Amino acid sequence: MMERDETVVILGEDVGFYGGNYRVTEGLYAKYGEKRVIDTPIAENSIVGNAIGMALGGLRPVAEIMTVNFILIAMDQIVNQMAKLRYMSGGKIELPMVVRTPQGVSKQLAAQHSQSLERFFTSVPGLITMVASDATAAYYGLKKAIELDDPVIFLEHELLYPMKMEIQKRESFDPFRADIVKEGKDITVVSYLKMLHDTLKAVPVIEKELDVSVEVINLHSLNPLDMETIANSVKKTKRFVIVTEEPKTGSFAAEVVSKVSEELFYHLDAPPLRICGEDVPTPYNRKLELLSIPTPEKIAQQIVYWGREHGI
């Protein structure tokens, strides 16, 4: 993208000379220089505000916030400017910009550095919210996000960075269409980011214990949400589960369950199941930390219990 489009610039803390806290911009500073890969002060509100100004001036900025936990400082710029400028200008202003940031529970980073905040972004009209659960979505999804003329929040997960993955060649990749990563006929399970991988680990246990086949859907975009793929799957399986890492109350998962209940109620043979993190600040203690979020074992246990409770 940066090679063929000189308007694409990156800004954020340590994105330049250091190559990013998670090395995601490594090598770009040497290749494109300090005017296109810009190290900023520790000032998240300013990072997003400057990116908005760059976008208004004709650039396509990618503003990196080191972790989603720090983005709260920039929420005024995101909610009151970034999300609303196109609408408050009667559609005259385009804002081609991306705010890219990792989130989620890593390993003993404690409550202030372990949050999942997709619920905030997906509830703000005017923002597109994408997620990258694998290398293919990270590569093609980020390219698509940069090409869009509207602002995008692009969420990643800290524990997915070190995972070895292959990029599938998918030039026609559409981030607004979810992928069915495993076909099944009895239960639909929707997930994204690290929980997608934990769900796939849980599936063999679920299928063995309940003697069923599970369909797993990988979301690339949370807003807009690909309800068509979800609906087609639920109409086939008659049962719906969503797995997310965020705290349960007020979650994005709750919104999806509401949509499924509103639009697909008469297709369901069991109440939808929401598997989320606990409603507590993430503990530092590793054992308590793991108790506060879904794990492959807990995902399997909860779906098997729910399945037996509802006659599967």
Side-chain angles (χ1 to χ4, degrees):
M1 286 294 296
M2 295 188 73
E3 190 167 318
R4 65 182 169 89
D5 186 349
E6 292 185 352
T7 67
V8 178
V9 298
I10 299 171
L11 66 160
E13 299 160 15
D14 290 333
V15 298
F17 183 77
Y18 186 63
N21 198 40
Y22 296 96
R23 319 304 291 177
V24 297
T25 54
E26 192 169 42
L28 297 179
Y29 181 82
K31 188 172 183 179
Y32 297 107
E34 62 183 8
K35 291 187 177 179
R36 295 187 63 195
V37 184
I38 305 164
D39 279 323
T40 67
I42 302 173
E44 288 77 10
N45 197 43
S46 175
I47 293 169
V48 177
N50 277 293
I52 292 170
M54 290 175 171
L56 289 172
L59 299 178
R60 289 186 180 273
V62 178
E64 182 177 309
I65 303 298
M66 190 176 289
T67 82
V68 80
N69 307 282
F70 308 149
I71 212 168
L72 296 171
I73 298 168
M75 286 301 278
D76 179 58
Q77 290 289 350
I78 291 171
V79 175
N80 281 324
Q81 307 301 331
M82 182 173 153
K84 294 180 172 58
L85 283 176
R86 176 189 278 277
Y87 296 85
M88 295 186 72
S89 67
K92 294 178 181 177
I93 292 177
E94 294 180 343
L95 207 68
M97 63 175 289
V98 178
V99 174
R100 176 186 189 181
T101 185
Q103 66 168 18
V105 173
S106 185
K107 290 183 179 177
Q108 292 188 278
L109 296 181
Q112 294 170 325
H113 294 75
S114 303
Q115 300 178 93
S116 294
L117 301 181
E118 60 267 46
R119 69 181 68 191
F120 292 171
F121 308 121
T122 54
S123 68
V124 178
L127 290 182
I128 295 169
T129 304
M130 294 185 190
V131 290
S133 305
D134 54 39
T136 304
Y139 179 72
Y140 290 107
L142 185 58
K143 285 178 66 176
K144 182 67 176 180
I146 295 171
E147 290 171 348
L148 290 174
D149 290 329
D150 286 298
V152 177
I153 299 290
F154 196 86
L155 298 173
E156 300 162 20
H157 194 290
E158 293 175 17
L159 288 185
L160 295 185
Y161 289 136
M163 287 181 66
K164 296 287 185 183
M165 302 181 193
E166 296 292 330
I167 298 177
Q168 301 171 13
K169 190 173 182 179
R170 293 178 60 181
E171 295 297 337
S172 60
F173 179 86
D174 181 355
F176 301 119
R177 298 289 295 181
D179 280 339
I180 297 174
V181 293
K182 181 193 173 302
E183 293 190 355
K185 61 182 179 59
D186 299 304
I187 301 173
T188 298
V189 183
V190 170
S191 193
Y192 52 89
L193 294 177
K194 181 175 179 291
M195 287 298 104
L196 173 73
H197 300 269
D198 286 359
T199 296
L200 290 170
K201 290 177 183 175
V203 163
V205 177
I206 299 165
E207 292 186 328
K208 180 181 178 182
E209 292 291 325
L210 294 177
D211 191 22
V212 296
S213 66
V214 176
E215 185 147 291
V216 181
I217 295 176
N218 174 18
L219 298 179
H220 302 306
S221 172
L222 307 186
N223 187 19
L225 178 66
D226 180 11
M227 273 301 293
E228 182 180 352
T229 297
I230 294 173
N232 289 338
S233 179
V234 170
K235 288 175 183 177
K236 175 177 63 175
T237 66
K238 313 295 184 187
R239 301 171 184 90
F240 177 78
V241 179
I242 184 166
V243 184
T244 68
E245 191 175 276
E246 57 185 338
K248 190 171 187 177
T249 300
S251 57
F252 169 72
E255 177 62 24
V256 180
V257 165
S258 293
K259 288 180 183 293
V260 169
S261 300
E262 288 172 351
E263 299 177 20
L264 301 164
F265 182 79
Y266 292 108
H267 294 278
L268 293 169
D269 283 346
L273 174 64
R274 214 173 5 140
I275 300 175
C276 302
E278 302 295 333
D279 289 326
V280 296
T282 306
Y284 174 77
N285 178 282
R286 182 60 176 162
K287 290 182 179 178
L288 295 177
E289 183 181 63
L290 289 174
L291 285 172
S292 74
I293 55 173
T295 61
E297 295 76 18
K298 290 162 68 176
I299 293 167
Q301 289 169 3
Q302 291 190 41
I303 293 179
V304 168
Y305 178 81
W306 166 84
R308 288 173 177 160
E309 283 286 297
H310 297 288
I312 300 176

